[in-house]
Amino acid sequence: MIIGDIIFLIVEIIFALLLIIIAEFAVKLISTKWRICYLLPFAIAIIFVTVNGIEISMLSAYLGVVITLTGFFADSKKLRQMTGVLGVVLIGIAFPICNLYPGYRQPDYVKDFKEGFAAMKEHYVLTEHKGIDFDALYEEYLPRFEEANKHHDEVENYLVWSQFCAEFYDGHVYFVPNSEKTMDEGTARIAGNDYGLSIMTLSSGDYVAVNVDEESEAYADGIHNGTVITAWDGDAIEDVIEKIEYVYFPSPDKDNEAFYSTLLVAGVGGEQVTISYVDDDGKNRDVTVSNSGCFDERMIETLDIIDQGLEAGNMSFTEMDDETVVLRIKSMMFDTDSAKQEDFSGMQNEVRENLLTYKAQGKTRLIVDLRCNGGGHGLMVKALAELLASEGEHFYSYDGLWDDSIGNYAVDPETGKYLKGEGVFYMGEDIWSQGQIIFLVNGQSASAADHFPALLRGQDNVTVMGFTEPCGAGQGVSCKELESGKIYHSVAVMLDENGDILIDSGVDHESGDDIDIKIPFDEEAVRALFDAGEDYVLKRAMELE
Amino acid sequence: MNNIVKSQIYQLKKDRLILSIFILVAVIEIIQVTVGEGAGAESASDFIGMIGSIPYSTIYMFVAVLIARVCGADFGDKTFNYEIMSGHTRRETYISRAGISIIAGVAGVAVLANLSIVLATLIHGFGTKLSVGTVVLHQVLCIFPMIRIMSFFIFLIFAIRNQYIVMLLGFLTFSISELLGTIQSYVLSITNLAMLCRYESFSTFALSGGEYYVYEGSLSISTIVLTIVISLVMSTFWLYVGYVFYQKDDL
């Protein structure tokens, strides 16, 4: 129970008891002042209900308060005592009801969905671009939210939201529940069971075991990192992927989606599963292994190993060797002041100073590590791009043209495309003209981290590399607060030079921020990542000529 | 009862304190448009979305004074006793005062709540952030919780029988609301006035600078019906409780 409800019930019980005690005085000393006392529980109830909100499982307490009000209208001592006792009982009953009722203080998930849905339908800026059919989504998801509401299942509510968001294949569309615990329980629920390994897809198309637990039955039978898995519990891996109801890592780009598609496969199954694999001698073998717990930790660990970035502070420089320095950017945020004032000149000066120092020391390779950078402020990207871009004026993006009269972005009625608003341009300083600039990205480099490499890609000394492309979410994001959490979605239009949507994938699921070098996720990569514990992507970047 | 009503109207017209407070609140409303919270508004509809329930904290003060004067001034000089001695029933003396104060209150609230909007419209034009129909609907509905608040003040004045304490309560509500914004929303949330005055806003931004706002003012049928029904039920409750007090009270 929430503390506000506990205080309310205790205060009301105390008042009701006092009213029983004073019933005799109130009759003997006929005065309106005594009568006022019988209004107090009601007045207090109004205040608490205003602060805490109405709760259906407190209904008996509200009724008890109303009954104590009888003493105000009736002068009978006996009646006042009886209603007082009844009031105490009814208010007291609310304690067990609130503790036993599973829906106590539960937000209305259906109402939340309707509110979030309405906001998205009104203001989501990629509806046409991505071919989103809002009405069909409503029909499909409303019953699922109704089910979650009926069963008072907060975790299911989170999972249904996650599924709903995945339909948008937009890195900016996601739901964050109020409690982190809900998110963890949701991940655990979709992850399934742990059989001692994860599965990933190699660039060759083979499915291989990774992050294999050396204590597991699978390892004992001969499955190790890099072992080719041919079937999971009798089904081809492609079929298992098809059967998985939930998406853990939705991607705007189909290549990225394919890369992460097997993440949940190794969690599918009951108490035992049979794994079919090719052993080291090239023979097909089967092994039956038992469930050893929940798969969520292994799955997240697998993702962390593949998508790792350099362990260093945000906006810090790390010297790797005589030639190489790494600028680690974990987030496109520098400090609170710069974000609030939208002035990143302080950050820019600091980075410029560092780059010039390293340049003077003879460093010729700058690695900008954007892996797992979830984005941030576009103006920070602009400030950084100014330092590294070749001299002269460069284009960043056009804002969509806002039309106040319709409360939305203006669209060309003929082409259906957004009209261009003000353009954002910047002047390049080219302070790293003497050497290479290598951007490291992965599927979790999103939003402003999508923009940065996209702005400089194509410049002679710039290379963008990673196992996958960046996330592919380029529009501006905002959130709508709901009772059960926050729903984020793309709300600010950003256009490229041609007036097309910047970066975000359309119905072809191809985002517009390709990379120069896609590092093959092969046996060598698997061994380096999962056996040797190396930062394979960084290693490959340092080997680049 | 007609005579009591006429005397109350006469008293109301001649009451300088009520007129002074009315003018003071009106001036505060004007300041809000010109240099206060709504000074940055581009249009009246933008202004309405920005200020939310702020005007009602000052209107609260006016309502408290109005009711305290109309219903409570006669407790001090025994006018009630004379009216009853001259043949009027307690019910007549109660209803005439409560009725006049609610009618005058509604008229005053209607003027004060819309004064700043009219002024903002004259200065900036109405704009497109909200439709006129939406604003009218919200403003009309706001009258109902205000009637509920007035009824509560009527109950208070008949329970306390001291006009100055009720006025003080009105001023305290105003000053506390001004000092602590959160309290203001709670005070107004006891009714659904805060909700009716608050327009859901959607904002987006541009990389080149600036923010765009849209206000959402649609109300469901259930909200409209519940606002009216609950306000009237609660108003009846407080008026009845006030009458029960007054009926049995020793004057």
Side-chain angles (χ1 to χ4, degrees):
Chain A
M1 278 180 80
I2 63 166
I3 192 77
D5 284 342
I6 295 171
I7 293 172
F8 167 62
L9 294 177
I10 290 172
V11 168
E12 290 293 359
I13 287 173
I14 291 170
F15 263 97
L17 288 171
L18 284 174
L19 291 178
I20 296 169
I21 295 165
I22 67 162
E24 194 167 345
F25 297 104
V27 173
K28 277 183 187 170
L29 307 167
I30 296 171
S31 160
T32 51
K33 305 295 176 287
W34 286 104
R35 301 171 75 91
I36 286 182
C37 297
Y38 287 87
L39 282 177
L40 287 177
F42 185 71
I44 289 166
I46 289 177
I47 293 166
F48 272 94
V49 167
T50 304
V51 175
N52 298 336
I54 287 182
E55 166 55 40
I56 190 78
S57 44
M58 303 265 288
L59 205 60
S60 67
Y62 303 144
L63 189 64
V65 169
V66 172
I67 284 172
T68 56
L69 203 61
T70 316
F72 174 78
F73 299 99
D75 287 334
S76 158
K77 173 189 159 189
K78 201 174 173 185
L79 186 65
R80 282 177 171 170
Q81 286 176 332
M82 278 171 60
T83 53
V85 171
L86 191 58
V88 170
V89 171
L90 286 170
I91 296 163
I93 283 173
F95 275 109
I97 293 175
C98 290
N99 282 302
L100 294 172
Y101 180 53
Y104 168 75
R105 292 276 171 207
Q106 174 205 294
D108 185 337
Y109 301 138
V110 175
K111 182 171 157 270
D112 257 16
F113 170 63
K114 286 180 177 173
E115 270 182 35
F117 178 86
M120 288 184 75
K121 191 175 179 184
E122 184 72 22
H123 298 294
Y124 181 62
V125 294
L126 297 175
T127 304
E128 295 298 321
H129 184 66
K130 285 180 177 282
I132 302 295
D133 183 346
F134 270 97
D135 294 335
L137 287 177
Y138 186 82
E139 291 301 317
E140 185 184 342
Y141 281 90
L142 181 64
R144 296 178 68 177
F145 281 102
E146 284 171 343
E147 276 295 298
N149 205 47
K150 192 174 149 192
H151 295 115
H152 313 295
D153 193 339
E154 193 181 355
V155 175
E156 184 61 19
N157 176 61
Y158 163 59
L159 292 177
V160 179
W161 267 115
S162 300
Q163 282 308 103
F164 174 78
C165 293
E167 303 274 4
F168 291 76
Y169 57 102
D170 178 344
H172 279 147
V173 179
Y174 52 96
F175 177 79
V176 180
N178 289 332
S179 136
E180 211 171 297
K181 194 176 152 218
T182 306
M183 216 186 295
D184 293 343
E185 285 179 15
T187 306
R189 199 180 284 185
I190 62 169
N193 298 322
D194 185 24
Y195 303 99
L197 71 159
S198 289
I199 295 177
M200 287 298 291
T201 316
L202 294 185
S203 302
S204 62
D206 285 336
Y207 300 107
V208 293
V210 296
N211 200 15
V212 180
D213 182 358
E214 294 187 2
E215 305 290 318
S216 67
E217 292 169 291
Y219 186 81
D221 199 69
I223 296 176
H224 53 78
N225 292 325
T227 300
V228 174
I229 307 293
T230 53
W232 188 263
D233 217 14
D235 292 325
I237 303 296
E238 296 85 346
D239 295 339
V240 181
I241 295 170
E242 285 295 312
K243 281 182 195 168
I244 294 170
E245 190 186 353
Y246 293 99
V247 181
Y248 177 67
F249 197 79
S251 294
D253 190 281
K254 63 183 175 191
D255 297 332
N256 289 12
E257 195 172 310
F259 183 82
Y260 295 107
S261 63
T262 49
L263 268 174
L264 289 169
V265 168
V268 175
E271 277 311 301
Q272 287 189 322
V273 295
T274 302
I275 305 171
S276 305
Y277 67 98
V278 181
D279 70 11
D280 292 343
D281 300 327
K283 289 179 184 163
N284 287 317
R285 289 189 56 172
D286 286 347
V287 58
T288 299
V289 295
S290 304
N291 166 25
S292 59
C294 187
F295 182 53
D296 59 339
E297 278 182 29
R298 184 175 307 282
M299 181 182 72
I300 291 166
E301 191 183 58
T302 302
L303 192 60
D304 285 347
I305 291 170
I306 295 168
D307 277 351
Q308 63 183 295
L310 184 69
E311 283 293 335
N314 189 34
M315 297 306 294
S316 64
F317 285 88
T318 307
E319 290 181 65
M320 303 304 292
D321 56 30
D322 292 345
E323 292 176 348
T324 312
V325 62
V326 177
L327 169 58
R328 178 72 172 118
I329 310 181
K330 290 179 166 177
S331 157
M332 287 300 177
M333 298 295 283
F334 187 63
D335 56 28
T336 319
D337 285 344
S338 54
K340 210 181 275 179
Q341 293 161 15
E342 299 197 327
D343 178 8
F344 290 91
S345 55
M347 178 277 307
Q348 192 184 46
N349 290 336
E350 205 175 302
V351 174
R352 183 188 291 110
E353 203 175 300
N354 276 304
L355 288 175
L356 291 174
T357 305
Y358 288 119
K359 187 177 176 178
Q361 287 173 6
K363 297 276 189 290
T364 54
R365 186 184 292 123
L366 170 66
I367 297 175
V368 182
D369 189 350
L370 294 174
R371 288 175 291 175
C372 296
N373 180 325
H377 213 297
L379 291 180
M380 177 163 159
V381 172
K382 183 171 169 255
L384 289 168
E386 280 170 348
L387 297 173
L388 301 177
S390 57
E391 286 182 358
E393 190 182 61
H394 299 270
F395 170 79
Y396 187 148
S397 73
Y398 284 109
D399 291 315
L401 181 68
W402 181 259
D403 185 346
D404 237 350
S405 66
I406 56 168
N408 221 324
Y409 288 96
V411 174
D412 184 332
E414 284 179 16
T415 60
K417 285 164 67 172
Y418 286 112
L419 294 174
K420 287 181 195 172
E422 209 171 318
V424 179
F425 298 86
Y426 61 96
M427 297 298 290
E429 293 182 30
D430 206 8
I431 63 171
W432 200 258
S433 55
Q434 85 288 358
Q436 280 180 306
I437 301 169
I438 302 167
F439 284 98
L440 302 186
V441 295
N442 60 26
Q444 298 186 63
S445 310
S447 197
D450 263 307
H451 292 184
F452 192 16
L455 289 183
L456 296 183
R457 192 167 162 259
Q459 193 169 303
D460 287 343
N461 61 341
V462 171
T463 306
V464 184
M465 62 192 294
F467 284 130
T468 68
E469 297 170 19
C471 174
Q475 308 299 293
V477 65
S478 180
C479 79
K480 165 119 184 119
E481 286 201 37
L482 304 170
E483 232 187 311
S484 59
K486 289 177 181 172
I487 175 77
Y488 289 79
H489 62 116
S490 301
V491 295
V493 172
M494 297 181 81
L495 304 171
D496 64 17
E497 273 178 304
N498 303 318
D500 294 321
I501 293 292
L502 183 77
I503 294 175
D504 282 270
S505 59
V507 287
D508 59 357
H509 288 237
E510 284 279 9
S511 53
D513 55 351
D514 293 338
I515 56 175
D516 300 305
I517 298 174
K518 190 174 267 187
I519 300 169
F521 190 75
D522 53 16
E523 283 175 36
E524 185 189 338
V526 168
R527 277 198 298 276
L529 288 167
F530 293 97
D531 288 337
E534 288 176 356
D535 186 343
Y536 184 70
V537 174
L538 181 62
K539 186 181 151 197
R540 289 292 299 268
M542 289 176 64
E543 289 166 3
L544 198 68
E545 290 299 320
Chain B
M1 192 162 86
N2 282 349
N3 289 337
I4 304 176
V5 170
K6 281 177 190 169
S7 68
Q8 289 306 317
I9 293 170
Y10 180 80
Q11 198 172 310
L12 186 64
K13 282 180 185 169
K14 297 289 175 188
D15 197 319
R16 288 189 177 176
L17 181 61
I18 293 173
L19 183 66
S20 308
I21 296 295
F22 182 83
I23 293 168
L24 176 69
V25 174
V27 169
I28 292 172
E29 301 288 303
I30 292 165
I31 289 171
Q32 277 172 352
V33 182
T34 49
V35 290
E37 292 84 354
E42 294 166 358
S43 63
S45 52
D46 191 20
F47 169 78
I48 295 162
M50 282 167 77
I51 58 167
S53 58
I54 291 170
Y56 280 92
S57 59
T58 48
I59 291 171
Y60 226 87
M61 187 168 66
F62 164 72
V63 166
V65 171
L66 175 81
I67 298 214
R69 293 293 287 176
V70 174
C71 296
D74 290 339
F75 279 115
D77 57 11
K78 302 284 180 190
T79 306
F80 279 107
N81 301 49
Y82 302 136
E83 284 176 2
I84 290 164
M85 282 161 64
S86 64
H88 294 289
T89 62
R90 285 202 182 207
R91 195 170 66 173
E92 285 172 350
T93 56
Y94 181 81
I95 290 174
S96 56
R97 282 175 174 78
I100 289 294
S101 50
I102 286 177
I103 291 166
V106 167
V109 168
V111 172
L112 292 171
N114 293 293
L115 184 67
S116 56
I117 297 173
V118 171
L119 191 65
T121 307
L122 291 174
I123 297 171
H124 306 291
F126 191 79
T128 55
K129 296 257 159 92
L130 284 164
S131 73
V132 176
T134 302
V135 175
V136 169
L137 177 64
H138 277 252
Q139 293 297 93
V140 169
L141 282 178
C142 283
I143 296 289
F144 290 92
M146 280 311 291
I147 292 174
R148 186 171 155 188
I149 290 165
M150 287 177 219
S151 304
F152 178 69
F153 276 124
I154 290 169
F155 151 71
L156 271 186
I157 192 73
F158 279 94
I160 299 168
R161 287 194 289 160
N162 186 326
Q163 58 172 321
Y164 300 107
I165 293 178
V166 174
M167 282 184 210
L168 187 68
L169 282 173
F171 277 96
L172 280 177
T173 309
F174 164 69
S175 50
I176 291 171
S177 303
E178 287 296 298
L179 286 172
L180 303 165
T182 48
I183 298 285
Q184 179 190 326
S185 64
Y186 277 131
V187 168
L188 295 176
S189 295
I190 289 175
T191 65
N192 66 344
L193 199 56
M195 187 275 282
L196 289 170
C197 294
R198 187 170 54 87
Y199 293 88
E200 281 280 320
S201 70
F202 160 78
S203 70
T204 184
F205 55 92
L207 189 61
S208 55
E211 267 188 295
Y212 309 118
Y213 279 89
V214 184
Y215 296 105
E216 170 57 43
S218 63
L219 293 170
S220 64
I221 298 291
S222 63
T223 304
I224 295 169
V225 172
L226 284 174
T227 297
I228 296 170
V229 171
I230 293 176
S231 292
L232 294 181
V233 167
M234 288 306 293
S235 301
T236 311
F237 172 78
W238 289 121
L239 288 173
Y240 180 66
V241 168
Y243 177 65
V244 169
F245 246 95
Y246 174 60
Q247 190 191 26
K248 295 189 175 179
D249 205 9
D250 183 8
L251 292 172

